[in-house]
Structures are given as structure tokens and as C-alpha cells.
Amino acid sequence: MFKAYGDFWRRYFTFTGRSTRSQFWWAFFWNALIGVILILIQVGLKILRGAAVGDHLSFSGNQVVIFFWMFSGWYLVTLIPRWAVTVRRLRDAGLPWGLVFLKLLTGIGHLVLLVLACLPSKDDD
């Protein structure tokens, strides 16, 4: 589990080779978990601020900006390794790496890639 996530970071710019299903899904899990934690921190801070001030839990401009930079920073730091692990996973499933550009089709493209990531590894014969 932690080895797979460490591999995700060690192979930051590696678009060659392969990544197994478990390597892909552990990286996906940890990145999603960290994203959810960032959101929960933002909501938690807002609840604490709202309870202290007595307002109706509306987000102030400063909180939105801080959250934007926090979440955007995490997104940008993980952007290249997420693309790299997806390319490696597609190769491992015997699919053309160019399918990674489905990510550009927000929503449906990501869903298609997640389904393709579930395919078993293909042996080189």
C-alpha cells in the first residue's frame, strides 16, 4: 500500500514501463483521500469560524482564496505523476497510451479511464 504510493512519487516523470492495477488504485486512493481531507479541513475551519462568529456558515472571500490555493497546489503537484501512472497502467493493460488524453474530456473521459484501469494486466507474448 505505502510502497505503491511511494512508487507513484518516485516515478514522477516516468511515462515508460508499466504500473499494475494495485499501484494505480493505491495512488488513486491516497490522492483522493488527501483531497477529501483538504476539503474537510476547509469545511471544519468554516464551521469553527461560524460557531465563533455566529454567522450562517457562509464562506468569506479569504477562506475561498486560501482553499483555492491549497487545493490547486495539491492538484498541480500531483498532475504529472497522475498522468504518468495512468499511461503506465494503460500500457500494462495492453492499451495504447494515447487513451490518456481522454482525461481532457472532463467527466466521461475520466470515467472511461477508470474503467480501463480495472482491466487485467496483459502478458507480453
Side-chain angles (χ1 to χ4, degrees):
M1 159 170 47
F2 294 113
K3 184 178 183 289
Y5 197 56
D7 184 58
F8 170 80
W9 288 107
R10 277 189 298 280
R11 296 172 71 186
Y12 197 97
F13 288 106
T14 306
F15 287 84
T16 58
R18 301 170 126 193
S19 287
T20 63
R21 277 189 288 190
S22 66
Q23 288 171 326
F24 176 86
W25 287 110
W26 279 118
F28 181 88
F29 168 78
W30 285 112
N31 286 326
L33 181 65
I34 291 169
V36 167
I37 288 170
L38 290 174
I39 290 169
L40 290 176
I41 288 170
Q42 174 65 17
V43 171
L45 290 173
K46 179 56 194 160
I47 290 171
L48 290 174
R49 182 185 168 277
V53 177
D55 67 1
H56 299 289
L57 299 179
S58 60
F59 286 92
S60 71
N62 289 340
Q63 290 170 318
V64 172
V65 169
I66 290 169
F67 176 71
F68 171 79
W69 286 111
M70 195 170 57
F71 199 79
S72 295
W74 175 249
Y75 181 84
L76 290 174
V77 165
T78 62
L79 183 66
I80 292 172
R82 283 186 288 117
W83 279 68
V85 75
T86 303
V87 166
R88 293 191 310 264
R89 179 66 205 120
L90 289 169
R91 280 202 178 113
D92 188 57
L95 299 168
W97 68 267
L99 289 173
V100 75
F101 293 110
L102 288 173
K103 283 184 178 243
L104 299 176
L105 301 173
T106 305
I108 190 73
H110 287 281
L111 184 61
V112 169
L113 281 173
L114 289 177
V115 170
L116 293 176
C118 293
L119 295 174
S121 298
K122 185 177 179 188
D123 294 331
D124 289 334
D125 292 338

